[in-house]
Amino acid sequence: MDPVLDIQRLSIRYAGAPAPAVRDVSFTLGRERLGIVGESGSGKSTVGRAIMRLLDTAEITADRMQFEEVDLLNAPERKMLDVRGKRMSMILQDPKFSLNPIQRCGHQIAEAYRTHVRCSKSEARARAIAMLEQVHIRDPERVYDLYPHEVSGGMGQRVMIAMMLLTDPDLVIADEPTSALDVTVRLQVLRILDGLVRDKGIGLIMISHDLNLVRAFCDRVLIMYAGRVVEALDARDLDNAQHPYSRGLLAAQPRIGGTREPLPVLARQDSWLEPLEAQA
Amino acid sequence: MSMTRDIPAPVPRRRMPQSLIAARNIVAFLTRSPTSLFGLVVLALLILVALFAPLIATHDPYAQNLQATLQPPSGTHFFGTDELGRDIFSRLVHGSRITLTIISLVTVVVGPLGLFFGTVAGYFGGKVDTVLMRITDIFLSFPSLILSLAFVAALGPSLNNAIIAIALTAWPPIARLARAETLTFRQADYIAAARLQGASSARIIWKSIVPMCLPSVTIRLTLNMATVILTAAGLGFLGLGAQPPLPEWGAMIATGRRYMIDSWWLVTFPGIAILCVSLAFNLLGDGLRDALDPKQMNKR
Amino acid sequence: MRLDRRRLNGIAEQGVSIFVTLFGLLILTFVIGRIMPVDPVRAIVGEDATREVYENVYRQLGLDKPMWQQFLLYMRDVVTLDFGTSIRTGQPVLQDIARVLPATIELATFAILIGAGLGTPLGVIAAVNKDRWPDQLIRVISLMGHSMPIFWTGMIALLVFYANLGWVGGSGRMSQFYIGLVPERTNFLLIDSALAGEWEVFRSAINHIILPAALLGYSSSAYITRMTRSFMLDQLGQEYVTTARVKGLSRRQTVWRHAFGNIRVQLVTIVALAYGALLEGAVLIETVFAWPGFGQYLTSNLLIGDMNAVMTCVLIVGVIFIGLNILSDILYRVFDPRTR
Ligand SMILES: Nc1ncnc2c1ncn2[C@@H]1O[C@H](COP(=O)(O)OP(=O)(O)OP(=O)(O)O)[C@@H](O)[C@H]1O
Ligand SMILES: [Mg+2]
């Protein structure tokens, strides 16, 4: 099967920044679920946004950056308008900020559909309501007419998921989709997302801080540190990670039934910046 | 105003050298932007011209010459002559002194007044704050020109009264700013420490709070100068400010108005002078705002 | 709107604050009126009145009473809308003002349409192109508008567009020939002439209003542009704008459909305040364009020291300002779903 996404040696530098925020990142993605983990500032969101081509002013270089037949490095913006929201979309972190506060939730979902499919208003509405049902919203007709400030965080994030999956994209990037949510609804929202992604055979990139979460919901994991991918491995092999940074991350995860010792703190080393092979 | 929070709060004792460094940085930043540079140059020119007016002026600004009235611009009269044969260039040059006087007097009155009300309101809070801020609200509920008009009408038209009127209407925004600043410092540890040591409120305000408010208040005053100049010129134009034969720019436009159709130079040059100076203050203020915005600083 | 307790408290608080401000306004005008060097009695009775007449009027005006009683009298007059008569016109001041105010409102409304119509898109364009040349250009254009002495620009514009090019009408609200042709119903010339079907007069009125309104509009657009730009920059940095782009909306759709909608409320506030500030410009521009409006009425009375008229004008400007503030507050509540 052809990969959905093929990225080779991607580097990104923000305008005016002295050093690149992302360096030589390579990976391919099929119709699978890929987790990207790493500490804050390691460049995870930057990679996601670069794939969506949302970084207008940043300087982006790569050997290859291919989404299906679209060359993301050179595609004109007009082409990207067709791709974005239709064939690839992105779930943002916090529904409190990522939904337009003065438009009704349903309208925002329907807009995603109407941007790419010619249809009547009522058809878009019906689609949106059906999608709200799929994300387990009990009273979709009512929620359709609510403003974002009138729905709870978990509901808001499900609205976001509905909006981004409505057009049946091939690739979805979820940038910390649950970290703004209450712990009690996190799993619920993730299960809904996971169910839809599996059913529709969508390629998913899940950005997260949380190793346990990535272990449970992803097939493969990239571990990023300071703008580089330091290790890539299957989720079930996560416990056997080789790179010292990955091992440090793992050790810093709390576990139920673990020891009561204080969690170890990362002691950074410059050598971590080298990829794994070079160190060996 | 967001700029109030952008100014790093220095430790009071080390203020002087730090603020000097800051000032140097700001000037360096300003000279890098062409628009702010224009502002700086015009203001420097204004000050120089005002200082050396007698040397720069080619004629006596009050000397009438009824043989040479309404002469167009020429080699002897750069900007022409007015209806009484006075040299417009020389009048403009001497008028810069009036402009500078207005600016400095307004600053001298408005700065302390605004600082006093603002810091007192912010420091004591509660009822004092409510009452003082109500008063500023009342002043702010008039457009400043209308209020100045009313004051001048009450005091009688003259340059001094115009300055008083402008000052009376210009302090409320400064007071608001100083209050906002004070509120951010009030809880600071060294203020609490001073209070514990038994320092009087007046002393704390004077020694600790006023110096902290000074930088932002100074900047705000610079920004307000454009408005002050336009208001002063407007009052002069309406005949309520400087009285003839004083070479105040607004008043010059008012007298030139009658001869405007045939002698365009009578109104054109004073107007350009007003425009340049007020534009200079606006550009400078705009640049200062950028200079003090840390987000902008990093960008460039 | 739901009327819950919190909202009621808010309204009560605002009511009190409006009341206090109005009261302060009265004190201010009262004080200004008292320190005026013009002798109000002399102004009424004339220079060569007998001592007896003088004393009589002095007492009639209540000037023999203590200050606080005078202030109460003043308050009574204001509450009963009795502002006295203008010395210059011999008419009740309120009647005078009702006659001249429509001319100013017509001018200011025309001007704010131009100012908002120009300033809003310029501000949006500047924000979208932050720090690139369109932003710099717009910054200079709007600072120019902010810096020009409007009475001077008015004169120069008259010189160029009326005297030299003949594109627009000169001073006044319409050509000399048409004065008195249209029955005065609302005192809004554009409305009156349209009602009377006098399209020639209507055209002449448009021809006359366009230049002063354009200048006033330009000067107020400076403020509107600046504020629009900064509001817009705030919004463009928000996550929901990213969401809109992720959905596949173009730059323009993102800006106008999403970000712009979110600054509408703030814009309304700004435009209402700019409208108030126009009154200030109107005082000067009306003098230049011989526009028979409120500003001219105010300045001509100022110069002869007609105290009743001046103080009433100042009071009315203050009331209009407070009114605009309340209005923008109300609009804010109506337009923003979050405050509903
Ligand atoms: N708009 C921007 N302009 C300049 N630098 C930026 C910008 N956005 C991010 N950066 C820098 O790029 C680096 C990577 O940021 P990024 O947001 O991708 O990290 P992240 O891994 O997503 O972190 P987090 O887990 O906190 O979301 C950081 O050093 C950040 O400071
Ligand atoms: Mg991130």
Side-chain angles (χ1 to χ4, degrees):
Chain A
M1 196 167 66
D2 278 347
V4 177
L5 191 65
D6 184 2
I7 307 272
Q8 298 302 325
R9 291 175 58 93
L10 169 66
S11 296
I12 302 155
R13 205 178 74 195
Y14 282 106
V22 167
R23 244 180 271 214
D24 291 341
V25 166
S26 307
F27 64 92
T28 58
L29 178 82
R31 296 197 176 269
E32 59 182 333
R33 298 162 304 165
L34 173 73
I36 301 183
V37 289
E39 62 192 344
S40 194
S42 55
K44 308 179 299 285
S45 302
T46 306
V47 170
R49 281 169 199 238
I51 294 170
M52 296 293 299
R53 276 270 301 267
L54 293 173
L55 305 174
D56 300 315
T57 53
E59 181 189 315
I60 299 178
T61 55
D63 289 351
R64 188 173 157 80
M65 217 177 150
Q66 189 87 11
F67 168 68
E68 298 179 333
E69 90 293 348
V70 185
D71 177 6
L72 293 177
L73 272 181
N74 301 315
E77 178 67 13
R78 202 152 12 90
K79 175 77 188 165
M80 288 310 297
L81 291 182
D82 271 348
V83 173
R84 243 187 251 131
K86 185 169 185 203
R87 294 168 54 188
M88 61 159 92
S89 62
M90 183 154 104
I91 295 165
L92 298 166
Q93 184 173 351
D94 191 343
K96 221 183 274 136
F97 302 114
S98 51
L99 295 175
N100 187 339
I102 60 159
Q103 289 183 4
R104 297 176 195 278
C105 293
H107 176 88
Q108 297 185 49
I109 301 176
E111 186 187 34
Y113 192 69
R114 281 163 59 82
T115 306
H116 298 289
V117 183
R118 273 188 170 279
C119 68
S120 67
K121 269 201 175 131
S122 57
E123 192 188 332
R125 185 188 163 95
R127 284 279 186 161
I129 287 177
M131 195 66 214
L132 280 174
E133 242 160 64
Q134 288 189 45
V135 293
H136 301 229
I137 281 182
R138 234 169 279 132
D139 192 355
E141 301 270 352
R142 190 180 66 88
V143 173
Y144 188 97
D145 284 324
L146 293 181
Y147 285 100
H149 70 276
E150 295 168 328
V151 303
S152 68
M155 227 194 251
Q157 199 60 320
R158 282 182 281 163
V159 167
M160 184 81 193
I161 293 174
M163 180 158 57
M164 290 310 173
L165 297 189
L166 184 55
T167 52
D168 277 326
D170 298 329
L171 169 66
V172 170
I173 301 167
D175 191 348
E176 309 194 28
T178 55
S179 51
L181 301 185
D182 203 85
V183 193
T184 49
V185 293
R186 268 188 199 173
L187 269 186
Q188 186 198 4
V189 169
L190 273 176
R191 291 228 173 84
I192 291 169
L193 177 61
D194 190 52
L196 287 170
V197 166
R198 280 169 192 260
D199 286 353
K200 302 187 181 215
I202 297 173
L204 172 74
I205 296 180
M206 167 106 98
I207 295 172
S208 177
H209 282 123
D210 189 341
L211 277 175
N212 292 330
L213 197 147
V214 167
R215 194 200 314 260
F217 287 96
C218 294
D219 306 314
R220 276 194 309 136
V221 181
L222 297 183
I223 295 172
M224 284 188 71
Y225 175 70
R228 295 161 213 258
V229 174
V230 290
E231 192 162 7
L233 67 179
D234 278 355
R236 51 179 185 281
D237 298 336
L238 205 52
D239 283 330
N240 308 325
Q242 298 297 308
H243 194 278
Y245 172 70
S246 319
R247 295 223 54 84
L249 265 190
L250 278 170
Q253 290 287 315
R255 291 214 180 174
I256 296 174
T259 63
R260 299 260 179 94
E261 301 287 300
L263 293 170
V265 178
L266 276 181
R268 286 151 210 282
Q269 283 160 29
D270 287 343
S271 66
W272 291 358
L273 293 177
E274 313 288 323
L276 205 50
E277 305 84 80
Q279 277 183 33
Chain B
M1 288 247 74
S2 68
M3 69 180 194
T4 58
R5 242 159 292 131
D6 300 337
I7 299 155
V11 183
R13 216 172 306 135
R14 277 189 288 141
R15 238 182 61 79
M16 265 325 278
Q18 263 198 7
S19 63
L20 273 184
I21 296 168
R24 208 186 51 204
N25 286 345
I26 289 169
V27 170
F29 178 84
L30 289 178
T31 49
R32 248 177 290 152
S33 136
T35 50
S36 313
L37 189 62
F38 171 85
L40 275 179
V41 168
V42 169
L43 288 187
L45 264 179
L46 177 74
I47 294 173
L48 284 180
V49 168
L51 280 179
F52 301 108
L55 301 178
I56 296 168
T58 52
H59 296 70
D60 177 348
Y62 300 106
Q64 302 184 1
N65 178 1
L66 296 179
Q67 260 74 57
T69 60
L70 299 176
Q71 297 284 311
S74 66
T76 43
H77 299 288
F78 298 147
F79 292 166
T81 62
D82 67 6
E83 76 281 2
L84 296 173
R86 294 173 295 194
D87 180 58
I88 292 182
F89 174 73
S90 307
R91 286 177 68 73
L92 278 184
V93 167
H94 279 269
S96 67
R97 291 186 153 186
I98 298 180
T99 304
L100 211 58
T101 312
I102 295 174
I103 294 171
S104 14
L105 283 183
V106 168
T107 310
V108 165
V109 177
V110 166
L113 209 60
L115 264 176
F116 175 76
F117 282 125
T119 51
V120 166
Y123 181 79
F124 290 107
K127 289 234 169 58
V128 182
D129 185 29
T130 315
V131 170
L132 286 178
M133 286 304 110
R134 269 282 150 247
I135 296 178
T136 60
D137 272 352
I138 292 162
F139 276 83
L140 285 172
S141 65
F142 287 106
S144 60
L145 180 69
I146 306 262
L147 196 54
S148 323
L149 279 179
F151 277 124
V152 177
L155 301 168
S158 79
L159 180 59
N160 288 342
N161 289 346
I163 293 174
I164 294 174
I166 293 171
L168 280 177
T169 60
W171 66 269
I174 304 292
R176 288 234 148 227
L177 175 66
R179 171 178 174 267
E181 287 276 88
T182 308
L183 285 182
T184 63
F185 304 138
R186 196 172 62 166
Q187 304 303 338
D189 289 341
Y190 62 87
I191 304 259
R195 214 175 299 168
L196 282 178
Q197 285 170 10
S200 69
S201 298
R203 194 182 156 81
I204 294 176
I205 291 179
W206 177 244
K207 288 274 177 186
S208 305
I209 293 183
V210 167
M212 304 291 258
C213 296
L214 265 184
S216 58
V217 164
T218 315
I219 290 150
R220 187 55 193 269
L221 278 172
T222 322
L223 279 166
N224 281 5
M225 280 312 135
T227 321
V228 168
I229 286 168
L230 288 183
T231 309
L235 288 175
F237 172 72
L238 291 174
L240 295 168
Q243 299 295 310
L246 278 184
E248 197 270 329
W249 297 342
M252 284 171 73
I253 295 178
T255 46
R257 194 175 156 205
R258 251 172 297 156
Y259 311 93
M260 179 178 79
I261 300 279
D262 300 312
S263 316
W264 54 269
W265 55 92
L266 251 61
V267 297
T268 307
F269 293 112
I272 291 176
I274 298 172
L275 177 64
C276 279
V277 175
S278 98
L279 186 63
F281 273 111
N282 269 327
L283 290 173
L284 203 62
D286 213 54
L288 270 179
R289 213 176 322 196
D290 282 356
L292 294 169
D293 183 357
K295 275 177 263 157
Q296 292 266 333
M297 263 309 219
N298 298 339
K299 267 246 159 116
R300 292 182 190 186
Chain C
M1 281 196 214
R2 289 193 321 274
L3 272 179
D4 52 36
R5 159 150 275 153
R6 224 185 55 219
R7 181 177 299 280
L8 275 178
N9 276 345
I11 290 175
E13 206 167 284
Q14 206 184 12
V16 170
S17 110
I18 291 167
F19 184 78
V20 172
T21 312
L22 278 174
F23 189 72
L25 216 68
L26 283 183
I27 297 182
L28 200 62
T29 46
F30 178 76
V31 169
I32 293 176
R34 290 308 113 153
I35 54 174
M36 262 202 166
V38 183
D39 182 347
V41 181
R42 271 282 166 249
I44 292 172
V45 298
E47 284 307 319
D48 37 39
T50 60
R51 195 178 162 74
E52 203 172 310
V53 174
Y54 185 96
E55 299 264 299
N56 230 339
V57 175
Y58 189 81
R59 240 167 293 125
Q60 261 177 24
L61 290 177
L63 293 174
D64 54 337
K65 300 200 173 73
M67 266 304 172
W68 63 272
Q69 275 188 20
Q70 288 188 34
F71 181 65
L72 286 184
L73 282 178
Y74 176 64
M75 266 186 50
R76 191 200 61 199
D77 287 349
V78 169
V79 170
T80 56
L81 294 181
D82 172 13
F83 295 102
T85 50
S86 157
I87 296 159
R88 193 173 55 108
T89 63
Q91 306 251 9
V93 172
L94 209 56
Q95 200 176 316
D96 275 352
I97 292 181
R99 192 168 38 79
V100 295
L101 203 53
T104 300
I105 292 179
E106 200 168 57
L107 180 61
T109 308
F110 222 86
I112 201 72
L113 289 179
I114 295 174
L118 196 73
T120 312
L122 281 183
V124 171
I125 293 171
V128 170
N129 296 290
K130 182 170 184 286
D131 288 338
R132 273 173 284 169
W133 68 264
D135 184 26
Q136 309 286 7
L137 183 69
I138 289 170
R139 170 195 290 230
V140 172
I141 291 177
S142 77
L143 281 180
M144 273 305 253
H146 211 65
S147 313
M148 63 187 193
I150 195 161
F151 56 94
W152 174 73
T153 333
M155 286 158 65
I156 300 290
L158 263 181
L159 202 59
V160 174
F161 295 108
Y162 169 64
N164 284 344
L165 297 172
W167 288 356
V168 297
S171 44
R173 293 176 85 182
M174 58 188 145
S175 276
Q176 296 288 330
F177 326 117
Y178 299 129
I179 290 175
L181 208 65
V182 178
E184 288 179 8
R185 277 182 244 186
T186 60
N187 274 324
F188 291 97
L189 186 57
L190 289 173
I191 296 176
D192 280 348
S193 58
L195 281 180
E198 296 278 2
W199 297 109
E200 282 288 305
V201 181
F202 186 81
R203 266 196 41 204
S204 170
I206 291 274
N207 240 335
H208 279 75
I209 202 173
I210 195 79
L211 194 56
L215 289 172
L216 274 178
Y218 175 42
S219 79
S220 77
S221 82
Y223 175 61
I224 296 176
T225 304
R226 283 198 70 90
M227 298 312 283
T228 308
R229 176 179 181 273
S230 94
F231 293 156
M232 202 66 193
L233 281 179
D234 276 353
Q235 295 301 323
L236 289 177
Q238 301 283 323
E239 279 287 272
Y240 73 83
V241 170
T242 312
T243 307
R245 285 196 70 200
V246 167
K247 279 198 253 183
L249 296 185
S250 68
R251 261 260 119 111
R252 179 183 291 165
Q253 288 169 325
T254 312
V255 166
W256 289 104
R257 269 199 227 161
H258 286 267
F260 189 71
N262 277 280
I263 66 165
R264 250 185 354 213
V265 182
Q266 292 162 298
L267 269 188
V268 168
T269 314
I270 288 308
V271 170
L273 293 181
Y275 193 83
L278 275 180
L279 290 175
E280 189 167 280
V283 170
L284 293 167
I285 211 99
E286 283 182 6
T287 308
V288 174
F289 283 84
W291 193 264
F294 181 81
Q296 213 189 26
Y297 181 76
L298 171 61
T299 46
S300 48
N301 284 321
L302 258 177
L303 290 170
I304 62 158
D306 187 341
M307 190 178 79
N308 271 341
V310 172
M311 285 307 116
T312 311
C313 284
V314 172
L315 196 62
I316 283 179
V317 170
V319 169
I320 290 178
F321 244 59
I322 295 175
L324 284 169
N325 268 311
I326 299 170
L327 179 74
S328 70
D329 231 51
I330 293 172
L331 290 174
Y332 197 101
R333 292 195 183 167
V334 172
F335 273 125
D336 192 336
R338 279 162 296 187
T339 55
R340 237 175 253 158

